[in-house]
Every structure is written in C-alpha cells, then in structure tokens.
Amino acid sequence: MQIRPRRNRKSQGIRNMVEETRLSVKDFIFPMFLIDGINQKIEVASMPGIFRYSLDLMLEEIEACMKLGIMAFDIFPAYPDIKKDRFATESYNPETFYLRAIFKIKSTFPEAVVMTDVAMDPYSSDGHDGLVENGKILNDETLEILGKMSLAQAQAGADILGPSDMMDGRVGYIRSVLDQNGYTDVSIMSYTAKYASAFYGPFRDALDSAPKMGDKKTYQMDPANYSEALIEAGLDTTEGADFLMVKPALAYLDIIRLLKDNSNLPIAAYNVSGEYAMVKAAAQKGWIDGERAMLESLLSIKRAGANVILSYFAKEYASMVKK
Ligand code: PBG
C-alpha cells in the first residue's frame, strides 16, 4: 500500500494537526428566555439545564457567560396570556419588560451583542407569528406590526434583529423602517430557511407560545424542500439581510452547506430546542454520552458551513473548553 490514511490518525498530536474543523466559543450565540418579575429562575421542563430568568438573574447569567467568552445573546420573552392580543400590541409597548430588559442588558454590558426576536407569537393570542384573520395568516398587515416591533427593539438598543416569522418581504420592510428612523447600524439576521419543524416543541413550552389553531405550514418551509431555500436566500440578500440563518440545524445540514456555497454573507444555524432536548434526554437515560454527542452535533453544524451557531449548548460548551 502506498497510501495509508490511518497514519494521520495515529496519535492525538497528529490528529490535532490535521483537524479540519474547529469550534470556538466565538462561534456561539446563546439563546435565553426572559420572564417578568424579580429573582425568578424556572427550569424549562423539556430542556434540562435551560431556565427562564427574570432580568436580575439574567444579568448575572450573562455576566457568567461573558467570563466564559460568550459575547452574544439572543433573548426571547415569555408573556402571560393576559398580555396577549390578536395584534401583538405588547410587542411595541415601550414600557414592556422585554424592551426594558434589552435596554438594561446593553447598558450594563455595552460590549455584549444583543439579538432580539421579531415575530408576533410570544405576544399573540393566536400563538401565530403573523396576524390571523378567518383562519388565515395575513402577510402585508403583519409587516406593519413587525415594523413597529423592530423599531421598538432598535430603540431599546438591540444590536441584531432576528425576524423569525417567515412573512414575505419582511427583511426589506424592517430594513426601511430602521433606516428611515436613523437605525442604519442595527443588523438583521434573517431566519432565511426556517422549516415547519417538530423540533421547536420544547421552545413553545418555554414560551407557552404554541399556535392555538392550525400549524405554521403556510409560512414556515416544507422540510421536503431544498431549492426553495435559495429563493429565500436571494430575497433576504437583496432586501438587506446581514446574516442568513438556517433553522433547525441538524436535520438541515445540507441546507446550511447550500447557503454557504451560494452566498457571501455569513451563515448562521439554529441548533433548536428539540435538538437540545433529544441529546439531554438520551444522556439522562444513560443511552448516549451527552457531552460527546453535544460536541459532535456542534462540530457537524460548523463543518456543514455555519459561521455562527445559535445553541442552548453554548454555555455548557464554553465551560467544558474552559476546564
Ligand atoms: C418563533 C420562534 C420559534 C423558535 C424561535 N423563534 C418557534 C416557532 O417558530 O414556532 C424556535 C426555537 C427553538 O426551537 O429553539 N418565532
């Protein structure tokens, strides 16, 4: 034999040299769940190790994460039903706890990157990302609400807005609202290829935001579709997105690679709640090695082409490499 690939695997020292993909804490955005109140830290039942925090404890958690090298946070609010209505009015109420929290986080940690979520579902009595009328999700009417929500988040100090709603034309609409109001520096990380996925289940438990009727298939993408992701990527790019995101990550590694190969924008991937829950559940049962499964999953997302990884594992990964 002239060629023996095993020579490059013979020791840890050699394996380290030929390693093609390397994770770094700098790759990560840590998604966090915020609730109103003080001194609250409530574990999400389907996401062991992940909590809903009131602002005071979230600030402590962010500080702990920053000591581990995590610089970026994506904050999602959980609202009680009494704050919800058809029009998601609470989303742009300047006094609402989510917007006050964004302001407080940015003023406490100016060097942290704070990302927000733009979609109606946490504030919608229908539990949908858009405005519901006679069982239909209205597109253009939703854009106006998303515009108000985006402006309010920008005013609160968000660095990156994450439209996760999948309405047509929302990136361009949000970009023009931001620009007209002087927020030309606020970035947009578009949920470009967001699929109608069963892997969002635990997240909807965390926010109590499951749709009251129907599903999200008229706006989120069909898991069967590949080329359609390029249509979305083309639109988001011309509409002014700064990052393109694929979501979920693990069942859609081919889509991450597709966008990476077809775009010059940074590609983000969202390692979603159900992907986290599966690893945790199997590890708790002793069926897999949770830490190794975590590392392998995160590595596969990066190898597929993601420049940025949103993951509930971010802190655990950072503490592991710090040791
Ligand atoms: C909703 C939103 C969802 C997630 C992020 N933003 C759920 C959904 O579309 O129903 C899912 C995140 C996760 O599962 O970790 N706009």
Side-chain angles (χ1 to χ4, degrees), residues 119 121 129 164 194 200 203-204 216 220 247 272-273 312:
D121 55 330
D129 295 18
S164 66
K194 177 173 181 184
Y200 307 147
F203 175 94
R204 293 178 190 169
K216 299 193 175 184
Q220 299 180 349
K247 179 183 181 184
V272 299
S273 58
Y312 303 98

